[in-house]
Amino acid sequence: MITYLQGKPMATLMMILLLVIFSAVVLLIRAKIKGKSIPTLIIVMLIFMGICFAGVLAFINKGENYQAYQMLRWQPLQPEKIASYVAQGNIVFVDITADWCVPCQTNKANVLHREQVVNQLDQQHIILMQGNWTHADAVIEQYMGQQAVAGTPFNKVYGPSYPKGIELPKALIIDDLYQALSLVAQ
């Protein structure tokens, strides 16, 4: 169902609906000009709905592959391996998340699942480690204790220039991630 809603059939349906709404607006305006008793509020509401549908259509038609994140190869969090990966010249991106964590899900939708970010992270020299803290996990708890952080979301990027890592803001934005990746690689 979600794939259907995010694909071409949904965009086509939205385009048809948008065409119907704006056609109705044009017809109602013509009728009102000819003297028919058409409430202005109805015309205004249809225009507002049309603008809303146009916004949804613009979002759907970004041309982005919404399933791209499935290409990423996440390893379970293994803090003891981070230093050796970095010493070999790799970048390590750590994501501590949880299914119940709303900001984590927002970070996924706005940043980590975006096709452009997936393309940036899907490189051989970038190691992706994820700790899912949905259920108690001693490895994650110990790592988070070492980081002096109590909760999720938590993201950190390690690399040759920053072997101790750069902690990212709780509310991720794409530019912050790109900047951290760039800094740790230098």
Side-chain angles (χ1 to χ4, degrees), residues 47-66:
I47 291 171
F48 177 73
M49 282 178 36
I51 291 169
C52 290
F53 279 116
V56 170
L57 186 61
F59 177 77
I60 290 173
N61 278 334
K62 281 198 274 190
E64 193 168 330
N65 177 0
Y66 295 101

Side-chain angles (χ1 to χ4, degrees), residues 86-112:
V86 170
Q88 295 168 16
N90 293 302
I91 292 172
V92 178
F93 176 67
V94 173
D95 176 42
I96 306 296
T97 185
D99 294 346
W100 43 260
C101 171
V102 174
C104 299
Q105 304 314 314
T106 302
N107 285 346
K108 287 176 187 174
N110 292 339
V111 178
L112 299 178

Side-chain angles (χ1 to χ4, degrees), residues 36-141:
K36 299 250 180 180
S37 170
I38 310 283
T40 305
L41 183 61
I42 289 177
I43 296 172
V44 170
M45 291 302 292
L46 282 174
I47 291 171
F48 177 73
M49 282 178 36
I51 291 169
C52 290
F53 279 116
V56 170
L57 186 61
F59 177 77
I60 290 173
N61 278 334
K62 281 198 274 190
E64 193 168 330
N65 177 0
Y66 295 101
Q67 304 303 315
Y69 71 92
Q70 295 173 348
M71 296 182 335
L72 293 176
R73 300 171 314 275
W74 290 95
Q75 300 180 19
L77 177 66
Q78 297 173 307
E80 70 280 0
K81 290 188 175 184
I82 294 173
S84 65
Y85 284 139
V86 170
Q88 295 168 16
N90 293 302
I91 292 172
V92 178
F93 176 67
V94 173
D95 176 42
I96 306 296
T97 185
D99 294 346
W100 43 260
C101 171
V102 174
C104 299
Q105 304 314 314
T106 302
N107 285 346
K108 287 176 187 174
N110 292 339
V111 178
L112 299 178
H113 287 186
R114 299 290 302 275
E115 184 177 17
Q116 64 180 338
V117 173
V118 169
N119 292 338
Q120 183 73 28
L121 292 176
D122 192 28
Q123 297 180 37
Q124 286 194 341
H125 71 285
I126 297 180
I127 311 294
L128 304 173
M129 288 190 178
Q130 189 172 63
N132 188 332
W133 214 357
T134 301
H135 304 288
D137 184 298
V139 173
I140 296 171
E141 288 174 23

